Amino acid sequence: MARIELQSIAKSYGSVEVLRDINLTIEDGEFIVLVGPSGCGKSTLLRMIAGLEPISGGEFTIDGRRMNEVPPRDRDMAMVFQSYALYPHMDVARNMGFSLEIRKAAAEDRQSKIQGAAKTLGLTGLKERLPKQLSGGQRQRVAMGRAIVRDPSAFLFDEPLSNLDAALRVEMRLEIARLHQRLEATMIYVTHDQVEALTLADRIVVLNGGDIQQVGTPLDLYERPANKFVAQFIGSPTMNVLRAEAKGDSIALSGGTRIQVEGDVPASGVSELGIRPEHIHVAGSEAAQFSGRAELVEHLGSDTNIHVQVDGIGPFLVREHGHVPVNTGDEVGLFIDPEKVHLFAEDGRSLR
Amino acid sequence: MSALRKSSPLAVTGKYLALAFYLTFALFPLYWLAKIAVTPDKLIFSEGTAMVPSSFTFENFRTVLIATDFLSYFKNSLIVSLGTAAITTCVAAAAGYAFSRFDFRGKRLVIALMLITQMFPLLMIIAPIYKIVAAVGLLNSLTSLIIVYTAFNVPFATFLMQSFFDGIPKDLEEAGMIDGCTRFEALRKIILPLTLPGLGATLGFIFTAAWSELLFALMLINSNDTMTFPVGLLTFVSKFSVDWGQMMAAGVLALVPSCLFFIFIQRYLVQGLTSGAVKG
Ligand SMILES: Nc1ncnc2c1ncn2[C@@H]1O[C@H](COP(=O)(O)OP(=O)(O)O)[C@@H](O)[C@H]1O
Ligand SMILES: [Mg+2]
């Protein structure tokens, strides 16, 4: 059980600042996902929590106890590596039980814990295999088993699914979610995949360029992104962002098209308008606010993605539910849902 | 994937021909060594160029083992080579691990210095080495050879070991440390078993180098008691004649330890011990 607190945590390699002023409190039992583009410092932050990387500044506490200088073995955390990091010269059972072996746990205790984890993860028949005799998915399970066996106060995951193929990734994602429900342990999960973040997290921490951009529940981030970066990073396909200006109680796009929005419009400072593809709709000529040419139409069955080029405004992605009878080259009228409009200031800050 | 590609019979034949040519070229001197060792003395000159002698004898081996100081040379060589191989490998493993895993001030400088030591021709430094060894009173001792050989082999062995450590993912130690090991425990229980091939290769390489070294042994040793094998071999050359049969027999016997050594370590030399550690 662990309540993890990061206060003004910073990290630099020589003169290169990788993380700045990270403040975050992780409640006991919470599933936190650190998400952000590659190179933003997610792994570095996780490794500092694990004790594999010295902390350059700030204070890191677990249940109020300062941990900055505590070696990894005394932090009572288990970690699943992106590369799995299985010990190649030990069989599956010994890999899973290695932490207990090091801690000199009684043999029968060790056996029963390994057995339990193997059963949970469907590895019972593979206990005598060496890692090289396993498939990628099985190795991934062994890596998880190694963490479960320890019954740690917190689990750390560094992009654990990124080496798996798409189908296996979905399956393992569910398994991790189930694991969290069952163990009710604190979990910190790093990924660059926003779908993983949205599906797994109690709260998501969005990182970019060494700064926390926003912390919130998946729905928070989707509906009320703090800035343009979060707005475009969360949600798939990506939010459309267009040049825009406030004109009284409506918004003017660059082509002169006016969009009515629900609620207040800030008098000044509006520089861009954001609208998610699922909040623009194909409309008949009377309802349409503007129109453009469909350059590419993707029929996905459940959805239809229409890439529309609007003269004077730019390219748009529109996502409609189900099948929409639009073909490449058609002229389509578009309607922006006034309740779902996001506005951004020059510096990317969200204005609504 | 090239193993899966169907090669034309012509290419296969060519490949085997090339291999056969290479093997013949490399092994012929060894064959000649063995042949002369078993040729009776009186036939050596009369049928010197025949591929197979008309009669065989093991007389040369008997003489070498019983009537000469061969066993003493052999023992000295064994002490020097094993000592050098063991000490060099230990030092190189420690240094190679440090170079592979840690960043410390002066690391580049140390590496540069180690490279520089490898740049001088041996002949250039043999006189100063002689003076140093003489000054500390180690002439005619096996210890002097062990020290000199170790000093000369450590840089190369270190780079060799470093490349083996570089081949072992850092994640493994880190996983070990998170699982409850100290860094040293992780090194001992996880990294060491995986470096056995590297240790074996380094041991073998240094052993062979020390086993066949002549120049320093010639300079630093001149008492018969402490002669190593390559120097001892020269005693078969007298002012008036060369005892070819005995010399070759001694040469054949000298191959034995190297062969045994490689047979012993070759199972550690097989690659792929770390496969399965990461993704795949
Ligand atoms: N040992 C190191 N020395 C210098 N820079 C590093 C080191 N490790 C990571 N970095 C830098 O820190 C940044 C964050 O890295 P990382 O945490 O691995 O990113 P990611 O979010 O992709 O996991 C990167 O820009 C990387 O270049
Ligand atoms: Mg990373």
Side-chain angles (χ1 to χ4, degrees):
Chain A
M1 297 292 105
R3 181 173 195 269
I4 295 169
E5 232 170 317
L6 305 172
Q7 285 160 18
S8 314
I9 292 288
K11 175 74 188 178
S12 29
Y13 291 104
S15 60
V16 185
E17 226 180 9
V18 175
L19 288 167
R20 269 176 303 273
D21 195 28
I22 302 291
N23 291 289
L24 183 66
T25 303
I26 300 169
E27 297 299 336
D28 182 28
E30 210 175 5
F31 199 128
I32 287 281
V33 175
L34 305 177
V35 70
S38 187
C40 69
K42 311 177 292 285
S43 296
T44 307
L45 184 56
L46 194 74
R47 290 165 54 79
M48 288 199 291
I49 294 174
L52 297 173
E53 204 72 67
I55 297 172
S56 314
E59 194 173 53
F60 163 45
T61 60
I62 299 179
D63 294 331
R65 200 159 79 84
R66 182 181 160 93
M67 283 284 154
N68 290 40
E69 290 80 21
V70 175
R73 64 177 185 283
D74 297 327
R75 294 194 184 190
D76 193 22
M77 293 183 171
M79 181 158 167
V80 177
F81 290 77
Q82 178 173 10
S83 66
Y84 313 146
L86 302 182
Y87 311 126
H89 54 303
M90 302 181 190
D91 65 16
V92 167
R94 189 147 175 246
N95 255 290
M96 295 208 287
F98 186 67
S99 57
L100 305 174
E101 184 182 324
I102 290 291
R103 280 163 227 268
K104 310 216 161 38
E108 58 271 27
D109 184 30
R110 202 157 80 200
Q111 283 316 317
S112 75
K113 280 187 173 156
I114 293 172
Q115 186 57 38
K119 222 163 121 193
T120 310
L121 293 164
L123 291 169
T124 327
L126 305 173
K127 281 195 295 186
E128 265 97 66
R129 298 253 192 112
L130 288 175
K132 67 174 170 217
Q133 298 163 323
L134 300 175
S135 71
Q138 290 166 337
R139 286 178 200 175
Q140 217 282 332
R141 283 164 195 271
V142 177
M144 300 242 298
R146 196 163 65 179
I148 297 174
V149 159
R150 288 181 48 186
D151 192 16
S153 62
F155 287 81
L156 310 178
F157 297 89
D158 191 353
E159 310 213 8
L161 307 184
S162 58
N163 288 324
L164 301 179
D165 59 52
L168 214 47
R169 196 145 58 205
V170 173
E171 188 188 324
M172 287 312 292
R173 201 171 74 203
L174 274 173
E175 207 139 324
I176 291 175
R178 238 176 266 138
L179 198 66
H180 179 240
Q181 278 176 5
R182 196 166 61 84
L183 301 175
E184 293 175 346
T186 311
M187 293 190 173
I188 307 177
Y189 186 105
V190 162
T191 180
H192 63 264
D193 178 356
Q194 50 101 19
V195 177
E196 265 171 42
L198 290 169
T199 49
L200 286 171
D202 291 328
R203 279 192 305 153
I204 298 177
V205 179
V206 183
L207 285 169
N208 188 35
D211 295 304
I212 291 187
Q213 302 290 321
Q214 190 173 3
V215 182
T217 64
L219 206 57
D220 270 345
L221 300 192
Y222 179 82
E223 290 184 339
R224 286 176 295 281
N227 55 39
K228 187 174 137 192
F229 175 81
V230 177
Q232 292 204 291
F233 194 80
I234 299 291
S236 163
T238 310
M239 179 187 281
N240 299 291
V241 175
L242 318 157
R243 290 248 131 235
E245 239 181 309
K247 282 268 163 65
D249 59 352
S250 68
I251 299 293
L253 299 181
S254 52
T257 311
R258 289 201 171 214
I259 309 280
Q260 287 297 322
V261 297
E262 204 88 341
D264 295 338
V265 174
S268 66
V270 175
S271 121
E272 282 168 314
L273 171 148
I275 186 77
R276 295 192 185 277
E278 52 271 41
H279 300 145
I280 315 182
H281 303 286
V282 174
S285 51
E286 66 283 2
Q289 292 158 322
F290 50 91
S291 67
R293 207 173 65 84
E295 292 201 309
L296 179 66
V297 182
E298 299 162 339
H299 296 286
L300 304 176
S302 61
D303 294 299
T304 309
N305 290 341
I306 312 163
H307 299 258
V308 184
Q309 180 67 39
V310 181
D311 291 333
I313 299 183
F316 266 95
L317 178 58
V318 178
R319 178 187 210 174
E320 286 283 10
H321 260 302
H323 178 71
V324 179
V326 175
N327 292 313
T328 304
D330 288 357
E331 189 74 12
V332 283
L334 296 177
F335 170 75
I336 290 181
D337 185 342
E339 278 179 46
K340 307 288 188 181
V341 168
H342 298 266
L343 297 174
F344 303 110
E346 189 68 59
D347 60 4
R349 222 163 12 96
S350 252
L351 297 172
R352 65 162 270 159
Chain B
M1 302 314 104
S2 61
L4 293 179
R5 207 172 50 210
K6 257 215 175 105
S7 350
S8 75
L10 205 68
V12 174
T13 318
K15 203 163 70 188
Y16 279 106
L17 272 180
L19 269 178
F21 176 76
Y22 170 74
L23 275 180
T24 314
F25 195 77
L27 293 180
F28 186 76
L30 286 181
Y31 168 72
W32 211 246
L33 183 81
K35 190 209 96 167
I36 293 183
V38 297
T39 307
D41 268 349
K42 57 183 189 313
L43 292 182
I44 281 189
F45 294 105
S46 56
E47 44 178 70
T49 54
M51 284 305 288
V52 184
S54 55
S55 70
F56 297 91
T57 174
F58 285 99
E59 190 57 29
N60 287 326
F61 288 94
R62 221 174 64 90
T63 319
V64 164
L65 288 175
I66 292 166
T68 69
D69 286 332
F70 175 84
L71 284 179
S72 150
Y73 304 151
F74 198 86
K75 190 193 77 198
N76 289 339
S77 263
L78 216 52
I79 292 172
V80 170
S81 303
L82 284 177
T84 306
I87 298 174
T88 305
T89 306
C90 287
V91 174
Y97 182 75
F99 284 152
S100 170
R101 292 297 196 261
F102 302 118
D103 259 320
F104 48 89
R105 210 174 325 164
K107 178 170 160 178
R108 290 167 145 268
L109 184 74
V110 176
I111 290 179
L113 281 176
M114 285 173 69
L115 279 175
I116 286 172
T117 62
Q118 303 290 290
M119 286 178 188
F120 298 97
L122 284 188
L123 283 173
M124 225 171 98
I125 39 180
I126 198 151
I129 295 270
Y130 182 86
K131 282 215 89 115
I132 295 172
V133 173
V136 294
L138 283 176
L139 282 182
N140 278 323
S141 72
L142 297 179
T143 319
S144 70
L145 286 184
I146 295 181
I147 293 174
V148 171
Y149 291 171
T150 301
F152 273 93
N153 282 310
V154 156
F156 178 77
T158 299
F159 296 134
L160 198 62
M161 283 310 300
Q162 183 193 344
S163 71
F164 282 109
F165 284 120
D166 284 345
I168 300 174
K170 225 173 167 172
D171 283 1
L172 291 185
E173 277 149 297
E174 294 181 343
M177 275 151 61
I178 287 181
D179 267 351
C181 295
T182 59
R183 179 172 274 281
F184 188 73
E185 271 178 316
L187 176 61
R188 196 163 54 83
K189 297 195 175 188
I190 296 161
I191 303 304
L192 189 67
L194 300 174
T195 1
L196 286 182
L199 289 172
T202 309
L203 271 176
F205 183 85
I206 303 302
F207 179 89
T208 331
W211 185 259
S212 56
E213 207 284 336
L214 176 64
L215 199 56
F216 282 108
L218 208 54
M219 284 300 289
L220 302 177
I221 306 283
N222 50 35
S223 95
N224 203 47
D225 293 344
T226 49
M227 269 186 196
T228 57
F229 182 76
V231 185
L233 210 54
L234 293 178
T235 61
F236 290 101
V237 182
S238 72
K239 220 171 203 164
F240 309 105
S241 71
V242 179
D243 206 327
W244 289 112
Q246 287 178 22
M247 198 167 169
M248 296 301 136
V252 170
L253 290 172
L255 286 175
V256 172
S258 297
C259 292
L260 285 181
F261 202 87
F262 275 98
I263 290 171
F264 170 67
I265 63 169
Q266 61 109 16
R267 68 194 182 98
Y268 295 111
L269 290 179
V270 285
Q271 283 303 307
L273 211 62
T274 53
S275 70
V278 294
K279 35 179 175 172

